[in-house]
Amino acid sequence: MTNSSMPGWALVVTLTAVAVLVLISLVAVLLALRARRAARRRLEEAEASEAELRERLEALEKRLTPPEAVGRRRRRDVAEREYVITSLGEDGEPAEVERVVQRTLTAPAFADAVFRETVVHGAALVHGVRRALSPEVRFKIRYEMHREVKRARKDRKSEMREALREYRARQRAAVDEDVRMEDSL
């Protein structure tokens, strides 16, 4: 008999399972690293392509734009840097209608933006509800309600006293008027 509390076959199965899990984890990490390298390579290629396209575009613009348009563009660039939103008071040139460039999002980027915004709004709502239902806030509300009820009672009591005072004064005035009328008869 052996002193071990675990049978030998169970130990072998456990060690085999752990080895398989480690191997699967290692393969997953290697695949992730490979995908990351490929994505980084594609990004660098895209950036290089973008830089090349920008250079070509600038060369074409320099070739195609007349010199007077270059002066207008420089003034417009200065105006944009100074955050001027109108051209009022400038050289009296007619305003140019610029083509608006609209950036579009891909479907995954749009879904991600919508999801993130929804999550942020939901988190803010949950935080607000949790804060509104906290014991401190409930105590403050209860305390303020108690103060308001006391103030309202005090106001009603003083209004009642004032109304009673006026009623009794009218009663006395009416009795005094009756007495004067009897005396005059």
Side-chain angles (χ1 to χ4, degrees), residues 5 22 44 47 64 69 78 80 85 111 118-119 121 146 149 179:
S5 62
V22 168
E44 289 170 356
E47 287 174 347
L64 295 176
V78 168
E80 286 175 359
I85 59 172
T118 304
V119 168
H121 285 298
H146 181 70
V149 167
V179 169

Side-chain angles (χ1 to χ4, degrees), residues 61-78:
E61 283 181 343
K62 284 180 184 176
R63 226 174 19 159
L64 295 176
T65 54
E68 61 272 358
V70 172
R72 273 187 267 151
R73 178 177 292 138
R74 284 189 188 136
R75 281 196 300 271
R76 190 174 62 225
D77 289 344
V78 168

Side-chain angles (χ1 to χ4, degrees), residues 22 33 38 40 59 63 94 101 176-177:
V22 168
L33 287 174
R40 186 176 295 137
R63 226 174 19 159
V101 177
D176 288 343
E177 190 68 32

Side-chain angles (χ1 to χ4, degrees), residues 4-183:
S4 106
S5 62
M6 180 183 284
W9 62 269
L11 182 63
V12 170
V13 168
T14 305
L15 289 176
T16 305
V18 169
V20 168
L21 286 175
V22 168
L23 185 63
I24 290 173
S25 299
L26 184 62
V27 167
V29 167
L30 289 175
L31 287 175
L33 287 174
R34 184 176 174 192
R36 180 180 283 174
R37 273 190 234 117
R40 186 176 295 137
R41 190 175 348 101
R42 283 193 306 266
L43 178 65
E44 289 170 356
E45 290 171 358
E47 287 174 347
S49 174
E50 178 191 8
E52 179 186 335
L53 286 173
R54 283 187 189 275
E55 290 172 3
R56 287 175 54 193
L57 180 64
E58 287 174 4
L60 282 172
E61 283 181 343
K62 284 180 184 176
R63 226 174 19 159
L64 295 176
T65 54
E68 61 272 358
V70 172
R72 273 187 267 151
R73 178 177 292 138
R74 284 189 188 136
R75 281 196 300 271
R76 190 174 62 225
D77 289 344
V78 168
E80 286 175 359
R81 272 185 272 147
E82 294 175 357
Y83 303 105
V84 176
I85 59 172
T86 103
S87 61
L88 237 148
E90 290 184 1
D91 299 337
E93 299 174 358
E96 293 182 16
V97 178
E98 294 183 24
R99 187 176 66 131
V100 177
V101 177
Q102 293 181 347
R103 294 180 55 200
T104 58
L105 291 175
T106 61
F110 176 75
D112 184 51
V114 169
F115 178 71
R116 284 184 185 188
E117 186 174 335
T118 304
V119 168
V120 167
H121 285 298
L125 177 67
V126 167
H127 174 71
V129 168
R130 187 181 324 140
R131 188 167 174 212
L133 296 177
S134 70
E136 296 87 20
V137 172
R138 288 194 321 248
F139 176 77
K140 285 179 186 176
I141 292 171
R142 190 178 316 124
Y143 178 75
E144 290 299 323
M145 287 297 294
H146 181 70
R147 281 183 54 194
E148 183 65 24
V149 167
K150 280 176 68 173
R151 187 197 59 75
R153 282 183 194 149
K154 189 176 178 182
D155 289 347
R156 278 197 307 271
K157 206 179 230 184
S158 65
E159 287 174 5
M160 188 64 163
R161 279 193 213 117
E162 184 65 31
L164 191 58
R165 217 175 279 129
E166 288 177 12
Y167 174 73
R168 289 181 179 156
R170 275 192 244 122
Q171 289 289 333
R172 281 192 301 268
V175 169
D176 288 343
E177 190 68 32
D178 287 342
V179 169
R180 280 190 213 133
M181 286 202 137
E182 287 179 4
D183 287 339

